[in-house]
Amino acid sequence: MPSTDRVLVVGATGRTGRYVVEAATARGLTPVALVRNASRARKTLPPGTEIVVGDLTAPDTLTEAVGDTDAVIFVHGSDDDARPESFERIDYGGVENVLRALGDRRPRIVLQTSIFVTRRDHSFNDGGHALDWKRRSERLVRLSGAPYTIVRPGWLDAGETGPHLRIEQGDAGEDGVSRAALGALLVEALLDDAAIGKTFEVYSGPGTATKDFTALFTEARPDAPGALDAVDDTPNLPLDAEPARVRDDLAHLRTA
């Protein structure tokens, strides 16, 4: 039985989150789904899944939700048709609010963001600056003091995906990844010390299903301790040009 047991899954009812719940259960963990509407979530999640009610945009609803968790997996995100400000409120704000709710506790964290997160001129960054806010959420996790892994998945269920996983760094790829394979990887990153302190992109394709996750994670270089960004990231989001809210949040984490 792994030393980690209760895993808070943020975004559990999403298309990837459901695979995370299944993979966590298969590995002997107790996934705890953070949801806004319990009755609606029960129609989506596997029978018997533990549910806790909370709203990522309402910090006072999260303290009890995170109270007895050993780890957190973030697979949340704004809806495709979300208003521009939702990327700040949910993709970034949700991470910031959970970290604050944890207080001085530092459980293991796995954060899913996206490929292209450092490509500020990509069309995904139009409007609400979705990529910038995801990148800012990564910075929160790196400075949180928690043992972490940050995963940037490729195009979800796009192209010739399959169970064979590969990872890259530097945010240069554009391939697809299977949600099922991704869900398994996110859980394995929670359990494998070879993944700690690392940020990487992940893709999948046809071939033998990946089983040796330690070997896979060992391929990635670790982030520099205390760095805002990942190894090989383009330094194109200067801290002194960031919104005051972001600078304050990072300063709070550094002080804590």
Side-chain angles (χ1 to χ4, degrees), residues 7-13 17 32-34 56 72-77 94-95 98:
V7 180
L8 187 70
V9 183
V10 182
T13 59
V32 181
L34 178 66
L56 287 177
V72 182
I73 299 180
F74 290 97
V75 282
H76 69 298
V95 175
V98 169

Side-chain angles (χ1 to χ4, degrees), residues 105-256:
R105 297 177 56 222
R106 296 293 182 268
R108 187 81 166 258
I109 291 175
V110 175
L111 171 68
Q112 173 191 292
T113 58
S114 174
I115 58 168
F116 308 145
V117 77
T118 66
R119 303 192 208 179
R120 303 196 66 198
D121 58 351
H122 195 280
S123 61
F124 284 2
N125 222 19
D126 293 346
H129 298 279
L131 297 176
D132 286 347
W133 287 111
K134 286 180 181 292
R135 186 172 180 180
R136 290 166 181 143
S137 75
E138 292 187 357
R139 289 177 166 184
L140 292 176
V141 169
R142 290 193 190 95
L143 293 190
S144 70
Y148 72 86
T149 307
I150 297 172
V151 180
R152 300 168 172 174
W155 295 95
L156 294 166
D157 286 334
E160 193 178 12
T161 60
H164 182 74
L165 292 161
R166 78 176 197 280
I167 61 176
E168 296 180 6
Q169 292 176 294
D171 200 14
E174 296 194 21
D175 291 340
V177 63
S178 155
R179 289 184 192 270
L182 173 61
L185 177 138
L186 294 170
V187 172
E188 294 300 328
L190 191 70
L191 299 172
D192 197 318
D193 287 353
I196 291 178
K198 296 180 177 181
T199 301
F200 51 81
E201 297 84 56
V202 62
Y203 310 100
S204 69
T208 304
T210 299
K211 299 294 184 185
D212 189 345
F213 284 91
T214 300
L216 182 69
F217 296 141
T218 300
E219 295 176 12
R221 295 163 55 207
D223 299 334
L228 288 176
D229 293 318
V231 62
D232 294 334
D233 276 357
T234 302
N236 57 356
L237 192 68
L239 181 59
D240 58 5
E242 283 287 78
R245 176 212 177 153
V246 173
R247 287 184 275 117
D248 288 346
D249 290 341
L250 294 174
H252 170 79
L253 288 170
R254 283 195 169 112
T255 301

Side-chain angles (χ1 to χ4, degrees), residues 74-86:
F74 290 97
V75 282
H76 69 298
S78 302
D79 296 333
D80 293 339
D81 60 351
R83 293 174 296 176
E85 66 270 20
S86 294

